[in-house]
Amino acid sequence: MSLPIALVVGIAAGGATLLAAAAVLLALWCAARRRARRNRNSDTGSSDPSTLVEWGKGGRSSLAPEPEHQVARQFSLEDLVQATKNFSDANIVGAGSFGLVYMGLLLDGTVVAIKRRVGAATQVFADEVRWLSEIRHRNIVTLIGYCQEGGLQMLVYEYLPNGSVCGHLYDTRKGSATRLEFKQRLSIAIGAAKGLNHLHSLDPPLIHKDFKTNNVLVDENFIAKVADAGLVRLIRGSDDAGPSHGFSNSVYQDPEVQSMTQFSESSDVYSFGVFLLELITGREAASLIPTDSREYLAHWMEAHFSSNELIDPRLAGNFTAEGMKELVGLAFQCLNPSSRRRPRMRLVATELDRILETEMSMTTFMGDGTAIVTLGSQLFTS
């Protein structure tokens, strides 16, 4: 790396005055280099208003750049026993394909989510965790570290206090207080899209393979983050080779995918389309079509375009007809039965950004409640 010409000339000329000037130039040059390096490492700006919201008092901004390189922290079993009060049932916050999930409090005051399963210690597992822990993005749940002791394998993640989008989207037990407005849903979709797009932009690309609404978490400011990135690789091995034992035929699964080796960026896009459909309907996609049905969700959407079953009735009065039409159209594109006809995640994120920007400008200019429709049949008659 070469120094600026002015600095070289200043040093060569000698003299206290020139040396002082050279020192100032050196300081300015170093500061400029640091700013440029931070700009490369941080996520690009967007019209997503959620990215402008700061974390809680004393916290950091969501726009704060991440360090260039992160090393997975290796915890001892004792560390995690203390953090979870000996894995108390009271600390269980969920369960998934990797096992039970516990909330834990580390000695340094960090609140974490700990996933635990029975498993022998392997170098492959440790290497994979180290690689996954280097993935840092504001819309991806950070993998902090791991533990392999006592016949257990454990993963330690950052903890997101508002949990999964599921609990706010179709958990009616919590009442209307958790109702997600249309612009909130768009903002959440943008965060999830940017998280997936970042995974796809890695070299080599990381295919999620298990993207679903349950794997979209929200922090205290409802900024969305994609969870369990790379978890399928940890469960099955880094090469994902071998028979498809335990291969699940989930409603989120691309109908073109018949084995683990066939997953692609496009199959993640299909899963994202199911996620958008749930944001639109406010219902679990599995409840929309019979479990034994071979009907495509895209066909279900097409059949319900003009009915009142498509749009979540809780959204009545807080979306524009144009914004909803465009979101429905985008979900329809993502759910195309043909993988070749689906958009890339980069384009999906860009389109969602545009939809939200337009929605905000229209409702700000005209006021919420203007040009609003409440019936699905009114959406698709023009």
Side-chain angles (χ1 to χ4, degrees), residues 274-287:
V274 182
F275 168 63
L276 289 183
L277 179 58
E278 293 198 343
L279 289 178
I280 292 166
T281 62
R283 298 162 60 190
E284 296 183 66
S287 71

PDB file of all heavy atoms in Angstrom, residues 274-287:
ATOM      1  N   VAL A 274     -43.627 -18.145  -0.079  1.00  0.00           N
ATOM      2  CA  VAL A 274     -44.583 -18.666   0.905  1.00  0.00           C
ATOM      3  C   VAL A 274     -44.641 -17.729   2.110  1.00  0.00           C
ATOM      4  O   VAL A 274     -45.719 -17.456   2.656  1.00  0.00           O
ATOM      5  CB  VAL A 274     -44.189 -20.091   1.342  1.00  0.00           C
ATOM      6  CG1 VAL A 274     -45.216 -20.640   2.340  1.00  0.00           C
ATOM      7  CG2 VAL A 274     -44.073 -21.020   0.139  1.00  0.00           C
ATOM      8  N   PHE A 275     -43.487 -17.231   2.515  1.00  0.00           N
ATOM      9  CA  PHE A 275     -43.409 -16.262   3.616  1.00  0.00           C
ATOM     10  C   PHE A 275     -44.214 -15.001   3.289  1.00  0.00           C
ATOM     11  O   PHE A 275     -44.985 -14.511   4.121  1.00  0.00           O
ATOM     12  CB  PHE A 275     -41.937 -15.936   3.865  1.00  0.00           C
ATOM     13  CG  PHE A 275     -41.677 -14.752   4.757  1.00  0.00           C
ATOM     14  CD1 PHE A 275     -42.084 -14.747   6.082  1.00  0.00           C
ATOM     15  CD2 PHE A 275     -40.997 -13.638   4.280  1.00  0.00           C
ATOM     16  CE1 PHE A 275     -41.819 -13.661   6.911  1.00  0.00           C
ATOM     17  CE2 PHE A 275     -40.729 -12.556   5.092  1.00  0.00           C
ATOM     18  CZ  PHE A 275     -41.148 -12.564   6.405  1.00  0.00           C
ATOM     19  N   LEU A 276     -44.079 -14.492   2.066  1.00  0.00           N
ATOM     20  CA  LEU A 276     -44.859 -13.314   1.658  1.00  0.00           C
ATOM     21  C   LEU A 276     -46.357 -13.619   1.679  1.00  0.00           C
ATOM     22  O   LEU A 276     -47.159 -12.774   2.093  1.00  0.00           O
ATOM     23  CB  LEU A 276     -44.441 -12.867   0.250  1.00  0.00           C
ATOM     24  CG  LEU A 276     -43.071 -12.216   0.090  1.00  0.00           C
ATOM     25  CD1 LEU A 276     -42.865 -11.786  -1.365  1.00  0.00           C
ATOM     26  CD2 LEU A 276     -42.917 -11.008   1.024  1.00  0.00           C
ATOM     27  N   LEU A 277     -46.719 -14.806   1.237  1.00  0.00           N
ATOM     28  CA  LEU A 277     -48.131 -15.183   1.240  1.00  0.00           C
ATOM     29  C   LEU A 277     -48.686 -15.173   2.664  1.00  0.00           C
ATOM     30  O   LEU A 277     -49.812 -14.740   2.904  1.00  0.00           O
ATOM     31  CB  LEU A 277     -48.308 -16.568   0.607  1.00  0.00           C
ATOM     32  CG  LEU A 277     -49.737 -17.118   0.547  1.00  0.00           C
ATOM     33  CD1 LEU A 277     -50.656 -16.176  -0.222  1.00  0.00           C
ATOM     34  CD2 LEU A 277     -49.750 -18.512  -0.070  1.00  0.00           C
ATOM     35  N   GLU A 278     -47.891 -15.622   3.627  1.00  0.00           N
ATOM     36  CA  GLU A 278     -48.343 -15.604   5.014  1.00  0.00           C
ATOM     37  C   GLU A 278     -48.448 -14.174   5.542  1.00  0.00           C
ATOM     38  O   GLU A 278     -49.345 -13.866   6.336  1.00  0.00           O
ATOM     39  CB  GLU A 278     -47.401 -16.438   5.887  1.00  0.00           C
ATOM     40  CG  GLU A 278     -47.455 -17.924   5.563  1.00  0.00           C
ATOM     41  CD  GLU A 278     -46.879 -18.794   6.666  1.00  0.00           C
ATOM     42  OE1 GLU A 278     -46.147 -18.275   7.529  1.00  0.00           O
ATOM     43  OE2 GLU A 278     -47.165 -20.007   6.651  1.00  0.00           O
ATOM     44  N   LEU A 279     -47.555 -13.287   5.112  1.00  0.00           N
ATOM     45  CA  LEU A 279     -47.662 -11.884   5.508  1.00  0.00           C
ATOM     46  C   LEU A 279     -48.939 -11.259   4.944  1.00  0.00           C
ATOM     47  O   LEU A 279     -49.560 -10.403   5.581  1.00  0.00           O
ATOM     48  CB  LEU A 279     -46.443 -11.100   5.015  1.00  0.00           C
ATOM     49  CG  LEU A 279     -45.107 -11.373   5.713  1.00  0.00           C
ATOM     50  CD1 LEU A 279     -43.998 -10.541   5.065  1.00  0.00           C
ATOM     51  CD2 LEU A 279     -45.185 -11.057   7.207  1.00  0.00           C
ATOM     52  N   ILE A 280     -49.335 -11.684   3.754  1.00  0.00           N
ATOM     53  CA  ILE A 280     -50.530 -11.147   3.106  1.00  0.00           C
ATOM     54  C   ILE A 280     -51.803 -11.688   3.754  1.00  0.00           C
ATOM     55  O   ILE A 280     -52.743 -10.938   4.048  1.00  0.00           O
ATOM     56  CB  ILE A 280     -50.514 -11.483   1.595  1.00  0.00           C
ATOM     57  CG1 ILE A 280     -49.392 -10.718   0.890  1.00  0.00           C
ATOM     58  CG2 ILE A 280     -51.877 -11.154   0.954  1.00  0.00           C
ATOM     59  CD1 ILE A 280     -49.096 -11.222  -0.504  1.00  0.00           C
ATOM     60  N   THR A 281     -51.836 -12.990   3.991  1.00  0.00           N
ATOM     61  CA  THR A 281     -53.058 -13.621   4.502  1.00  0.00           C
ATOM     62  C   THR A 281     -53.152 -13.593   6.026  1.00  0.00           C
ATOM     63  O   THR A 281     -54.251 -13.694   6.582  1.00  0.00           O
ATOM     64  CB  THR A 281     -53.134 -15.089   4.057  1.00  0.00           C
ATOM     65  OG1 THR A 281     -52.017 -15.813   4.612  1.00  0.00           O
ATOM     66  CG2 THR A 281     -53.098 -15.206   2.534  1.00  0.00           C
ATOM     67  N   GLY A 282     -52.007 -13.493   6.697  1.00  0.00           N
ATOM     68  CA  GLY A 282     -52.002 -13.572   8.152  1.00  0.00           C
ATOM     69  C   GLY A 282     -52.270 -14.974   8.654  1.00  0.00           C
ATOM     70  O   GLY A 282     -52.565 -15.184   9.833  1.00  0.00           O
ATOM     71  N   ARG A 283     -52.135 -15.955   7.766  1.00  0.00           N
ATOM     72  CA  ARG A 283     -52.425 -17.352   8.114  1.00  0.00           C
ATOM     73  C   ARG A 283     -51.243 -18.236   7.749  1.00  0.00           C
ATOM     74  O   ARG A 283     -50.426 -17.897   6.888  1.00  0.00           O
ATOM     75  CB  ARG A 283     -53.676 -17.829   7.360  1.00  0.00           C
ATOM     76  CG  ARG A 283     -54.933 -17.059   7.704  1.00  0.00           C
ATOM     77  CD  ARG A 283     -56.009 -17.269   6.640  1.00  0.00           C
ATOM     78  NE  ARG A 283     -56.384 -18.683   6.503  1.00  0.00           N
ATOM     79  CZ  ARG A 283     -57.153 -19.145   5.525  1.00  0.00           C
ATOM     80  NH1 ARG A 283     -57.625 -18.312   4.597  1.00  0.00           N
ATOM     81  NH2 ARG A 283     -57.455 -20.423   5.453  1.00  0.00           N
ATOM     82  N   GLU A 284     -51.166 -19.396   8.408  1.00  0.00           N
ATOM     83  CA  GLU A 284     -50.145 -20.370   8.057  1.00  0.00           C
ATOM     84  C   GLU A 284     -50.462 -20.946   6.680  1.00  0.00           C
ATOM     85  O   GLU A 284     -51.594 -21.344   6.399  1.00  0.00           O
ATOM     86  CB  GLU A 284     -50.097 -21.488   9.085  1.00  0.00           C
ATOM     87  CG  GLU A 284     -49.677 -21.034  10.470  1.00  0.00           C
ATOM     88  CD  GLU A 284     -49.572 -22.189  11.436  1.00  0.00           C
ATOM     89  OE1 GLU A 284     -48.688 -23.042  11.234  1.00  0.00           O
ATOM     90  OE2 GLU A 284     -50.377 -22.243  12.387  1.00  0.00           O
ATOM     91  N   ALA A 285     -49.446 -20.999   5.837  1.00  0.00           N
ATOM     92  CA  ALA A 285     -49.657 -21.486   4.473  1.00  0.00           C
ATOM     93  C   ALA A 285     -50.169 -22.919   4.472  1.00  0.00           C
ATOM     94  O   ALA A 285     -50.946 -23.307   3.588  1.00  0.00           O
ATOM     95  CB  ALA A 285     -48.351 -21.382   3.680  1.00  0.00           C
ATOM     96  N   ALA A 286     -49.751 -23.708   5.454  1.00  0.00           N
ATOM     97  CA  ALA A 286     -50.189 -25.106   5.513  1.00  0.00           C
ATOM     98  C   ALA A 286     -51.693 -25.218   5.706  1.00  0.00           C
ATOM     99  O   ALA A 286     -52.281 -26.261   5.405  1.00  0.00           O
ATOM    100  CB  ALA A 286     -49.454 -25.833   6.635  1.00  0.00           C
ATOM    101  N   SER A 287     -52.332 -24.160   6.223  1.00  0.00           N
ATOM    102  CA  SER A 287     -53.780 -24.206   6.447  1.00  0.00           C
ATOM    103  C   SER A 287     -54.564 -23.786   5.207  1.00  0.00           C
ATOM    104  O   SER A 287     -55.793 -23.916   5.178  1.00  0.00           O
ATOM    105  CB  SER A 287     -54.161 -23.291   7.618  1.00  0.00           C
ATOM    106  OG  SER A 287     -54.016 -21.919   7.253  1.00  0.00           O
TER     107      SER A 287
END
